[in-house]
Amino acid sequence: MILLNSILAYLAAVSAGIFAGAMLTEALVLVPMWRSLKPAEFSTLHAVHARRLYGFFAPLTAITTTVMVLTGVVAFATGHAQSYLAVTAAVLSLAVLSMYFLYFRNANAALASMHSRPEDIAPMLARWAVWHAVRTAIAICALLLSVLFLKGAI
């Protein structure tokens, strides 16, 4: 069981790192670029590329969440001394996933829609950026907990 915890801890830390890095890149690179565009430019650009973003983030989110939850469950089930780190990281990853269903699915659809009124784009993007900053911070916390768990699992 020690080997299984170690392998899962490594996979959790790696996937959480890739995921948090992607989220941070979106927050620090894509969102400011989107917000600098004129509403019509943004609508056109986002309508064209929304599927690519979804195609990148959906599997990354699913894989990361699955690995984090599996790591937390196995750590808890095997009585690992620091299972609370893995379990908390798993809960945080589930929180990030739930934010997609609670907010981002509808917000992304609205932003990708060419029917959005131009005057609505800037406030929608501002609200989207705040929600994204929150989920990015949560993803970074999950990463930090995963790294701490990995340190204790190896």
Side-chain angles (χ1 to χ4, degrees):
M1 287 301 163
I2 293 171
L3 180 60
L4 180 58
N5 274 312
S6 296
I7 291 169
L8 287 172
Y10 178 77
L11 292 174
V14 168
S15 64
I18 293 168
F19 181 70
M23 299 288 281
L24 195 58
T25 300
E26 186 173 33
L28 298 177
V29 177
L30 291 177
V31 172
M33 187 266 300
W34 293 337
R35 294 183 76 186
S36 73
L37 298 172
K38 293 178 181 170
E41 292 173 317
F42 171 79
S43 289
T44 300
L45 180 72
H46 201 265
V48 170
H49 296 287
R51 286 187 186 266
R52 286 187 181 144
L53 286 169
Y54 182 82
F56 174 77
F57 278 104
L60 183 58
T61 304
I63 290 166
T64 300
T65 304
T66 302
V67 170
M68 300 286 275
V69 169
L70 184 59
T71 303
V73 167
V74 170
F76 182 78
T78 60
H80 190 282
Q82 294 181 321
S83 64
Y84 65 94
L85 294 169
V87 170
T88 305
V91 169
L92 292 177
S93 69
L94 287 168
V96 170
L97 176 65
S98 70
M99 291 175 80
Y100 172 78
F101 295 103
L102 295 173
Y103 174 75
F104 287 99
R105 179 174 46 186
N106 291 336
N108 292 346
L111 287 170
S113 170
M114 293 300 284
H115 304 294
S116 296
R117 297 182 334 187
E119 62 272 14
D120 293 340
I121 299 292
M124 287 171 66
L125 273 175
R127 189 169 36 258
W128 195 98
V130 169
W131 278 93
H132 183 69
V134 170
R135 75 176 171 173
T136 300
I138 294 170
I140 291 169
C141 290
L143 166 62
L144 294 174
L145 291 169
S146 293
V147 169
L148 290 173
F149 181 68
L150 173 61
K151 184 179 176 185
I154 55 174

